[in-house]
Amino acid sequence: MNVVVIGAQWGDEGKGKIVDYLAEDADYVVRYAGGPNAGHTIVVGGKQFALHQVPSGILYPNKTVFLGSGMVIDAEALFAELQMLKDNGINWEGRVFISDRAHLILPHYRALDKERDAHRKHPIGTTGRGMGIAYAEKAYRDGVRLADLDWAEKMSEYDDEDKEYLDKYRDSLIKMRVNLTAKLFADRKKNFLFEGAQGAMLDLDAGTYPYVSSGMSCAAGAACGSGIGPKSLDKVLGVFKAYTTRVGNGPLPTEFDEDSQSELYRFVRETGREYGVTTGRPRRCGYLDLVALRYACRTNSLDGLVLTHLDIYDTLDEIEACTAYDIDGQVVTDFPASIEELNRAKPVLEKFTGWKKELKGTQDYDQLPKEARKYVEFIEAYTETPVDIISVGYERNDTFIRKPVWE
């Protein structure tokens, strides 16, 4: 069975934790998009792991993980991450493989990435990890893949600095290289878990362009970025937080007002630990945007939703969620493509009574306070998508399933 997990907002929804949780019943985990700009935080037994390129399932001792063809790989950062895992007692050797069709990030791409963003009239707020340049080179058909590392004619195109870099990692990368399409087909009766990067609203086509990532963070990317056809994907789950966050520039219609709502802004940011795993940048925070969430459900054919960070609201008397936008006096319920319209959008809010009870430790939906269940059921009704999994804490076991995933 092939199950896809994507972010249903602007990234940082808790995908890493959910993939880690579901990986227990998977045979393989495939990361199909993104690169070193992504960051997943996983807490197991009180120990925190920050992963960037390695799929979340690596923390299980018997799982094999793959970096897919839709990824752009920073070899230097990848091997530093693998060393971090080894230093923390995670034996990864023989369990981490990379698609031979994945592209590589060359060192000078990072400087080009930062320089390009600095010269934009409206900077995107890129992480500066060189991903955008790598994807651009891929589109130009000038990129370098793992499959090209022993192609002498191709290697001759690069200058001495790039050759030295590629030579340094060539043998190690070749040992990890795999024909992922062949592997997926050979083991097609196994359970594959496909891990997305960033979020649906940062997808190059469906997201808030140009304030998006350069890769495919949509559900369809699981097929394109791994090497199987779309009909082979059995289930798609979208992860979202009980509120909304975003890192970097671009529209966020439900963002809290830092002047009039500074206390709420600080509360959500600090309680939710809303700081970038990769950059450390504070995340912008706002009300749950149901207009954007429903759009993500529709554009990704989500079979189910995964709600995280519900516990962040434990102490609040009242909770609000956005059910429409007011744009120049007109009520809008379909997510617009226009950045100007999104920048002018004001959230139309629905109020909910808080539950005033600690949710951590909850292991069954019926154990949730009725106020929390009302919030969940309103989300389901609005998006027309069931909430199949709920997370009420950072630990792996602070999670419960309402509907079995591997069926």
Side-chain angles (χ1 to χ4, degrees), residues 220-239:
C224 301
S226 56
I228 59 173
K231 290 176 69 175
S232 295
L233 302 178
D234 299 301
K235 186 176 292 186
V236 184
L237 300 176
V239 186

Side-chain angles (χ1 to χ4, degrees), residues 2-239:
N2 295 324
V3 175
V4 183
V5 176
I6 70 164
Q9 295 169 310
W10 278 273
D12 309 308
E13 304 94 346
K15 297 181 296 299
K17 177 197 167 172
I18 299 305
V19 170
D20 170 75
Y21 181 77
L22 296 177
E24 183 175 9
D25 295 315
D27 296 296
Y28 305 107
V29 180
V30 182
R31 165 88 176 274
Y32 65 82
N37 67 334
H40 296 329
T41 301
I42 302 166
V43 181
V44 181
K47 194 170 187 177
Q48 181 171 301
F49 294 85
L51 301 177
H52 301 274
Q53 297 182 86
V54 180
S56 302
I58 193 62
L59 298 183
Y60 289 93
N62 59 338
K63 304 298 177 184
T64 299
V65 303
F66 299 92
L67 283 69
S69 54
M71 289 188 68
V72 287
I73 311 295
D74 182 325
E76 181 180 9
L78 173 62
F79 286 107
E81 188 173 329
L82 292 171
Q83 185 61 48
M84 176 275 293
L85 289 170
K86 186 175 181 179
D87 292 343
N88 282 276
I90 307 297
N91 182 16
W92 63 267
E93 294 187 54
R95 299 196 296 122
V96 179
F97 297 93
I98 310 173
S99 169
D100 52 10
R101 290 176 168 84
H103 280 244
L104 293 167
I105 296 173
L106 296 176
H108 68 275
Y109 289 3
R110 299 170 200 151
L112 287 173
D113 201 359
K114 294 175 184 175
E115 181 183 350
R116 179 155 193 156
D117 202 42
H119 282 86
R120 290 186 171 104
K121 288 185 178 179
H122 303 286
I124 293 169
T126 173
T127 59
R129 295 296 197 268
M131 277 190 52
I133 304 300
Y135 278 119
E137 290 295 293
K138 178 179 180 178
Y140 280 135
R141 290 149 291 179
D142 291 324
V144 56
R145 308 171 303 162
L146 267 75
D148 304 329
L149 290 174
D150 40 17
W151 180 12
E153 185 179 357
K154 176 69 174 178
M155 293 299 103
S156 68
E157 298 175 5
Y158 296 99
D159 61 26
D160 290 341
E161 183 180 352
D162 287 341
K163 285 179 183 175
E164 183 180 350
Y165 176 80
L166 293 170
D167 284 342
K168 181 178 179 180
Y169 297 106
R170 175 181 284 105
D171 291 344
S172 296
L173 289 170
I174 287 175
K175 287 178 184 177
M176 299 166 70
R177 195 170 63 180
V178 65
N179 184 328
L180 188 52
T181 296
K183 178 64 176 175
L184 288 167
F185 183 78
D187 287 340
R188 59 192 178 279
K189 294 184 179 180
K190 302 280 190 179
N191 283 344
F192 280 85
L193 185 59
F194 294 84
E195 177 183 28
Q198 287 83 46
M201 305 308 294
L202 292 173
D203 181 72
L204 187 60
D205 291 305
T208 49
Y209 187 90
Y211 301 98
V212 292
S213 185
S214 302
M216 294 183 70
S217 50
C218 60
C224 301
S226 56
I228 59 173
K231 290 176 69 175
S232 295
L233 302 178
D234 299 301
K235 186 176 292 186
V236 184
L237 300 176
V239 186

Side-chain angles (χ1 to χ4, degrees), residues 315-390:
T315 62
L316 297 187
D317 295 321
E318 188 176 76
I319 297 160
E320 294 179 278
C322 170
T323 57
Y325 301 147
D326 181 332
I327 303 177
D328 303 328
Q330 181 179 356
V331 176
V332 174
T333 57
D334 289 319
F335 192 80
S338 167
I339 297 299
E340 286 191 331
E341 288 183 11
L342 288 168
N343 284 336
R344 296 198 305 273
K346 296 179 176 61
V348 177
L349 300 172
E350 179 93 10
K351 293 184 178 181
F352 301 86
T353 302
W355 42 89
K356 305 288 287 183
K357 179 182 177 182
E358 184 179 9
L359 299 186
K360 184 177 174 62
T362 304
Q363 290 296 306
D364 186 87
Y365 183 71
D366 291 335
Q367 293 176 2
L368 288 176
K370 66 179 186 300
E371 295 85 0
R373 295 199 304 271
K374 183 178 179 181
Y375 187 58
V376 172
E377 287 157 17
F378 184 89
I379 294 167
E380 291 181 311
Y382 188 96
T383 62
E384 300 179 31
T385 309
V387 175
D388 291 346
I389 303 173
I390 297 177

